[in-house]
Amino acid sequence: PVTAVVIVAAGSGDRLGYGMPKARVPLGSDAILTHALRGVAAAGVARQICVALPPGDAVLQELCAAFAEELRAGHDANQQNPLPVLTTVDGGATRAASVRSALAALLDGTEAVLVHDAARALTPEYVFHRVVDSLAAGAVAVIPAVPVVDTVKMVTPTTGDDSSIAPELVTGTAPREELRSVQTPQGFRLSTLIQAHQAAADFDGKQAAAVTDDAMLVELLGVPVHAVHGSTQSLKITTPLDLIIAEGLLEGPLG
Ligand code: C5P
């Protein structure tokens, strides 16, 4: 399918504590967003790459322009994959709003879209290929996922006397063999993702805050979502510890 990749890079990065949008934070000698762009371009699956940026961020706009130049300079006209078009849009107040801005800027004729977090800057190429291959084979929605290593429990804040013992009460344990940690890029037939996001555009603040990925909106439509194996290298750089791990991966990937 004719495929676009949306990179959402409009988050604040507050949890990383760098005092700048996360996409700008240095990882090795380049910004996190540059690594993400290189990964997407190297996978060679996109006719268009559309990046949602923090509105008015001239530094990141310049970074995207410099990357477009890097792509043009490195592109061989005889190459099988055409040079992707690089587009930027203003992101929104939530991740889903950033995705909606980007979906509105995709080229006519786009059939499939991969939505990717800039924060998953070191995602290996083969993860993109697994998602695209699954879409090509007929899947409508595909997400990369890895098994969960921790035991996952449900908790509620305690009230009354119990709170003097501990602040939270355990209410249940999820069966670990059925759980997956979900990553990006998440791939969809474009028309399905647009429909899913239209349904979510009217969510109230609490509902909107509960939307943490695109696939859950597609699940609400009753459309089957399939999972392919992701990679532990696709970690989402969120905290200072993640940045240390990502720096380590740059030194020498796990293979
Ligand atoms: O904050 P969160 O973990 O949901 O961020 C995941 C990705 O979504 C990040 O790459 C971030 O830049 C992006 N995002 C966005 N617009 C927002 C919030 C997050 O593009 N308003």
Side-chain angles (χ1 to χ4, degrees), residues 94-109:
T94 61
R95 184 186 181 282
S98 295
V99 173
R100 279 191 286 275
S101 298
L103 292 179
L106 298 187
L107 299 172
D108 286 347

Side-chain angles (χ1 to χ4, degrees), residues 8-11 15 22 52 92-95 98 117-119 236:
V8 281
R15 287 169 292 184
K22 181 162 48 181
T94 61
R95 184 186 181 282
S98 295
D117 288 337
K236 184 169 164 197

Side-chain angles (χ1 to χ4, degrees), residues 94-96 200 203-217 219-220:
T94 61
R95 184 186 181 282
F203 279 5
D204 65 29
K206 196 174 165 201
Q207 288 170 314
V211 177
T212 49
D213 77 345
D214 297 279
M216 62 186 283
L217 298 177
E219 289 159 40
L220 291 176

Side-chain angles (χ1 to χ4, degrees), residues 107-162:
L107 299 172
D108 286 347
T110 305
E111 297 166 318
V113 60
L114 269 50
V115 183
H116 188 45
D117 288 337
R120 296 190 191 272
L122 301 182
T123 300
E125 285 174 39
Y126 62 76
V127 178
F128 289 90
H129 294 152
R130 280 178 194 160
V131 172
V132 170
D133 289 352
S134 184
L135 289 172
V140 173
V142 190
I143 59 177
V146 291
V148 170
V149 290
D150 293 316
T151 296
V152 177
K153 293 188 190 291
M154 308 284 291
V155 297
T156 53
T158 55
T159 51
D161 289 347
D162 285 352

